[in-house]
Amino acid sequence: PQESEPATPTPDQPREPSGGAVKTGLYLSASVSGSKSAADGEDGLGQADIDLVAVTVTDEGVIDSCVIDSIQSKVSFDAAGNVTADLTAPVPSKNELGSDYGMGQYSPIGKEWNQQAQALADYVEGKTVEELQGIAVTEEGRPADADLAASVTISIGGYLDAIQQAVANATHLGASQGDRLALTTSTNVASSKSATQEEDGLVQTYATVAAVTLSGDMITSCYIDAVQANVNFDTAGTVTSDLTAAQPSKNQLGDDYGMKKASSIGKEWYEQAAAFCTYVTGKTLDQVAGLAVTETGAAADADLAASVTLSIGEFQALLAKAGA
């Protein structure tokens, strides 16, 4: 088409943004309070519940788009402190599980978890944080508003808090109104291990999360975070961790994560994740998938390697999921 004519966007061609610049935000909240010691002939359990929210927000504080997801990871161990779960099994999020999560058959409205999360996300779009704070909930944290309760019966109090935190975290990273917002996860429990006489056992849920905005196939903003939620237990299968303790994400830990002193470039994890996000913004999903890596999984590109020495494969996988 001539320059004076609007181009018709194709799946791999960025389209003109339909609105002004918006901020991109991400928040994750992790808890291990569902964990328990082995007792009465039953295995113990290391359980992590991670709630995730991604948003785009206007400068006026109006939520332009919202995606809500959650991860529940469970690793069992016996009364001798031996892990009894398959540590190689995938840990899909509730949105990825879809109808396999199994809430729909028990729901009074016949809606699966991912459908209810989508309904809540749709409900908050167009609202400000102040308006969110005015959403009434019951003592159980469920919606008191009849319109919302017609499509959402899960407890929403924690998600409303997480949405507000995501809005508070949001910054201008390149997104515009009309861009598609995706929230992707990669979770494993592979570092979990049985207890020995010398050392407590460990259930570690390691989740890496990305909020990505896309115009066509081009990344317009990217925000990555991760959390390692840990539960320790001894050789009697007794939990030794404080299950009420906070499980901060790597971005929330900031310099306290402690990577900087071991980093060859003197950069903390959150700084490297942000540098990767800056590097891929403006590139297509195919370009990111094609980034060369070394034998150790680090970036082979000199410009990227100057600011990111982390293994980037998981970051690439998160962005590939955004295009799925």
Side-chain angles (χ1 to χ4, degrees):
Q2 297 177 354
E3 286 187 7
S4 59
E5 296 175 353
T8 302
T10 61
D12 57 354
Q13 174 188 4
R15 54 165 171 67
E16 287 298 312
S18 58
V22 287
K23 297 181 283 187
T24 305
L26 173 67
Y27 181 73
L28 54 109
S29 170
S31 167
V32 294
S33 63
S35 305
K36 60 181 181 180
S37 300
D40 302 325
E42 289 191 5
D43 278 358
L45 180 67
Q47 177 173 316
D49 291 283
I50 306 169
D51 293 335
L52 321 162
V53 173
V55 293
T56 55
V57 192
T58 70
D59 282 339
E60 293 73 37
V62 177
I63 297 168
D64 183 57
S65 56
C66 177
V67 183
I68 299 168
D69 203 353
S70 189
I71 300 161
Q72 186 175 77
S73 146
K74 297 181 178 183
V75 174
S76 53
F77 50 88
D78 64 22
N82 297 308
V83 169
T84 56
D86 177 5
L87 300 183
T88 65
V91 186
S93 75
K94 292 183 182 179
N95 281 349
E96 288 175 321
L97 282 168
S99 60
D100 290 336
Y101 182 62
M103 176 180 282
Q105 58 187 325
Y106 303 107
S107 167
I109 57 172
K111 297 288 188 184
E112 191 47 79
W113 188 95
N114 64 305
Q115 296 172 307
Q116 297 195 36
Q118 181 66 55
L120 178 59
D122 291 344
Y123 185 82
V124 302
E125 288 177 0
K127 292 181 171 58
T128 63
V129 165
E130 290 73 26
E131 288 173 308
L132 294 189
Q133 291 167 345
I135 296 174
V137 296
T138 66
E139 289 182 5
E140 297 81 26
R142 295 183 171 87
D145 175 86
D147 287 343
L148 184 55
S151 57
V152 182
T153 57
I154 57 174
S155 176
I156 65 169
Y159 294 110
L160 293 176
D161 290 342
I163 293 166
Q164 292 178 49
Q165 293 289 344
V167 171
N169 288 345
T171 54
H172 282 290
L173 299 173
S176 298
Q177 284 181 296
D179 291 349
R180 181 173 71 83
L181 174 64
L183 174 59
T184 62
T185 65
S186 172
T187 308
N188 72 80
V189 293
S191 294
S192 304
K193 57 185 180 180
S194 300
T196 64
Q197 294 300 327
E198 293 75 32
E199 193 174 17
D200 274 359
L202 171 69
V203 173
Q204 182 179 89
T205 300
Y206 191 167
T208 310
V209 182
V212 187
T213 56
L214 296 158
S215 174
D217 198 35
M218 188 182 76
I219 297 160
T220 57
S221 72
C222 179
Y223 193 141
I224 292 176
D225 201 356
V227 64
Q228 289 172 316
N230 295 331
V231 177
N232 294 109
F233 54 94
D234 62 21
T235 52
T238 302
V239 169
T240 56
S241 298
D242 175 5
L243 299 183
T244 66
Q247 304 286 325
S249 74
K250 292 187 180 182
N251 285 352
Q252 290 161 9
L253 282 166
D255 292 333
D256 290 335
Y257 181 61
M259 176 178 280
K260 185 177 292 188
K261 57 181 179 288
S263 167
S264 58
I265 56 172
K267 296 288 186 184
E268 193 47 79
W269 189 95
Y270 73 94
E271 296 174 303
Q272 297 196 38
F276 176 85
C277 287
T278 299
Y279 182 84
V280 299
T281 298
K283 293 181 169 56
T284 65
L285 293 171
D286 284 346
Q287 286 174 320
V288 175
L291 290 175
V293 296
T294 67
E295 288 181 3
T296 61
D301 177 86
D303 287 342
L304 182 55
S307 57
V308 183
T309 55
L310 295 166
S311 174
I312 65 170
E314 195 159 37
F315 293 168
Q316 288 174 294
L318 288 171
L319 290 168
K321 275 189 177 183

